[in-house]
Amino acid sequence: MVTSTLHRRLTRSAAALDSPQTQLTEFHRWFNDRVDADKSRIDIIEFDRLNGWHFHPDTGNLTHESGRFFTVEGLSADMPGAPVEHWEQPILHQPEIGILGILVKDFAGIPHFLMQAKMEPGNHGPLQISPTVQATRSNYTRVHRGKPVPYLEYFQHPDRHHILADTRQSEQGTWFLRKRNRNMLIEVSPDTDIPLLDGYRWLTLGQIRHLLTHDNLINMDSRSVLALLPHPPANHHGTPYQDEADHEALHTHGGDHKRRADARSRQDSVHPDPDIHSWITTQRTERTVTTQRIPLKNLPHWHQTPHRITHETGRYFNVMAVDVTTHNREIARWTQPMIEPHGPGVAAFLLAHHEGTPHVLVQARAEPGYTDTVELAPTIQYTPRNYAHLPAHHQPPHLDHLTPGSPHRTLYDTLLSEEGGRFYHADNRYLIIETALNPDHETPDHRWISLPQLQQLAHHSHYLNIETRTLLTCLQTLHQPAGG
């Protein structure tokens, strides 16, 4: 439960663009020095140079000799009503649950978040700002016989501390088969001694939000975890409180005042909560997505060369392999397969206000790798190159909001990387576009949903897809309190 005290402390953290723990200018110097000193090398290699990986002689699936990590398999998918109703594709099968966790600690009454500069072979950079712990189960159980994962104990025993959020969330359902990670925010007491290891920094929420406006700096896993943080509460005009004095006034009369504010916010939603839940349930019930795992070697229209597995049209994505050498990971060298998309993609929210309450237009999107058929996706989510050959009636709705010269106001526009541990140079252009709320924007697959409703769904598994969670985090940059 989000308390008024937590709201006040997060508001202070959001207002702090500098901190005795880390000055913003010092952070940039520190990060740039780490980038300059990074000696990581990522080479694209032939499949036969993979060490510990092999194509299974019967299925052709690309597997690790330990039986852990992940496999590259084939998938047959049927999705009636989609622009393409039947297809086969490679997909990553990684059934284990990883941990994405951020430690939170107060310094002088201001919450700070322990973040690390982490190398991932698929990143642009390749260093980006990652959660305190970002590890698959194979990694933190040390299948690779590497070094232990720092700070892991705080997330393996969360009940010893203050749990701010703990939920399982999906990842890309077009490239992963039912992939989930445990997303966690764990707060330790201010008197807990946590050694600051090399490669880590304590950052305020305000500093993180500032860094979210930089291309390819805050990684996907950080964005996913940070989406679980509450946004600043809205006043009766529907705008965030701009300073702590306003925020404190909300709580002058105690919890009753806040409960009334929360109730008013729900009343100001275009669709009541039960209607939103019923719409999602209807989508999950009536949409048909049938998938079957098949041998990788049996995929029609996909061809294997010594370097790539590619689709005959040159669209969608490739499967490729890399050789990684680094000095700042649990092991110094490894090889692995990766997905190489033909991007970049686009993920955009339309943002509008109803009775002063911010709303975004979400779509109920089916992807073959989802656990429960449909999750809520951004208004627009697509890779332009993959749609270029389709007729106009199969293009995503609302693309007119992205055209140059559109009267709609772009509030956020940043290029952000996706999962750099499995995807090679995968980027999405994330946009938030302000428009007037128009009921005609809704289709059978689209609904206006208020920001408070979206936040409530974020704390439940498998409701918001990874692109929506990213945009939910990016929305927080629009509510930056004044201060520093």
Side-chain angles (χ1 to χ4, degrees), residues 293-327:
R293 294 163 62 188
I294 60 176
L296 184 64
K297 70 177 184 180
N298 290 352
L299 294 181
H301 312 300
W302 292 82
H303 305 295
Q304 183 174 333
T305 70
H307 289 86
R308 299 283 198 285
I309 300 173
T310 62
H311 193 265
E312 62 188 10
T313 63
R315 290 190 289 268
Y316 311 120
F317 59 89
N318 303 328
V319 179
M320 40 85 83
V322 294
D323 184 333
V324 184
T325 304
T326 186
H327 67 284

Side-chain angles (χ1 to χ4, degrees), residues 108-317:
I110 297 176
H112 287 62
F113 301 78
L114 186 60
M115 312 298 288
Q116 64 168 310
K118 186 179 180 73
M119 190 285 300
E120 293 285 359
N123 285 348
H124 286 286
L127 296 183
Q128 294 191 14
I129 301 303
S130 306
T132 316
V133 168
Q134 175 186 320
T136 66
R137 184 174 179 82
S138 291
N139 282 342
Y140 69 72
T141 57
R142 301 169 68 183
V143 173
H144 48 46
R145 301 182 180 88
K147 294 181 292 185
V149 175
Y151 306 109
L152 179 65
E153 63 273 16
Y154 295 97
F155 302 95
Q156 289 184 310
H157 306 285
D159 54 331
R160 299 176 184 176
H161 308 283
H162 182 202
I163 302 170
L164 299 180
D166 186 359
T167 183
R168 298 201 305 180
Q169 300 289 355
S170 68
E171 297 196 359
Q172 285 84 356
T174 55
W175 299 328
F176 278 124
L177 182 62
R178 302 183 186 95
K179 175 71 162 61
R180 292 96 69 206
N181 271 323
R182 190 175 182 182
N183 285 229
M184 309 175 74
L185 283 160
I186 303 298
E187 185 174 27
V188 299
S189 65
D191 58 357
T192 301
D193 182 25
I194 299 181
L196 186 64
L197 301 179
D198 184 45
Y200 292 78
R201 281 292 185 272
W202 289 104
L203 299 177
T204 68
L205 190 53
Q207 291 171 331
I208 293 171
R209 291 177 180 178
H210 167 78
L211 299 176
L212 270 167
T213 63
H214 293 249
D215 287 351
N216 293 321
L217 185 50
I218 301 293
N219 84 346
M220 184 197 84
D221 298 311
S222 294
R223 303 188 309 260
S224 180
V225 176
L226 292 168
L228 304 181
L229 283 172
H231 285 231
N235 60 24
H236 67 281
H237 296 298
T239 57
Y241 289 97
Q242 293 301 302
D243 56 50
E244 188 176 343
D246 284 342
H247 188 79
E248 294 282 355
L250 176 67
H251 302 285
T252 301
H253 303 291
D256 287 344
H257 193 152
K258 182 179 186 300
R259 282 190 290 272
R260 288 195 298 270
D262 289 344
R264 183 176 60 232
S265 179
R266 289 193 295 270
Q267 290 169 359
D268 290 341
S269 300
V270 170
H271 300 286
D273 290 354
D275 290 4
I276 290 294
H277 285 278
S278 178
W279 170 64
I280 296 170
T281 302
T282 299
Q283 289 280 338
R284 288 176 167 175
T285 302
E286 296 184 353
R287 298 275 284 273
T288 300
V289 179
T290 305
T291 60
Q292 181 180 1
R293 294 163 62 188
I294 60 176
L296 184 64
K297 70 177 184 180
N298 290 352
L299 294 181
H301 312 300
W302 292 82
H303 305 295
Q304 183 174 333
T305 70
H307 289 86
R308 299 283 198 285
I309 300 173
T310 62
H311 193 265
E312 62 188 10
T313 63
R315 290 190 289 268
Y316 311 120
F317 59 89

Side-chain angles (χ1 to χ4, degrees), residues 81-85 387-399 443 445:
V84 178
E85 295 189 329
Y387 278 74
H389 66 292
L390 295 175
H393 66 277
H394 280 320
Q395 298 296 317
H398 309 298
L399 288 182
T443 72
D445 298 338

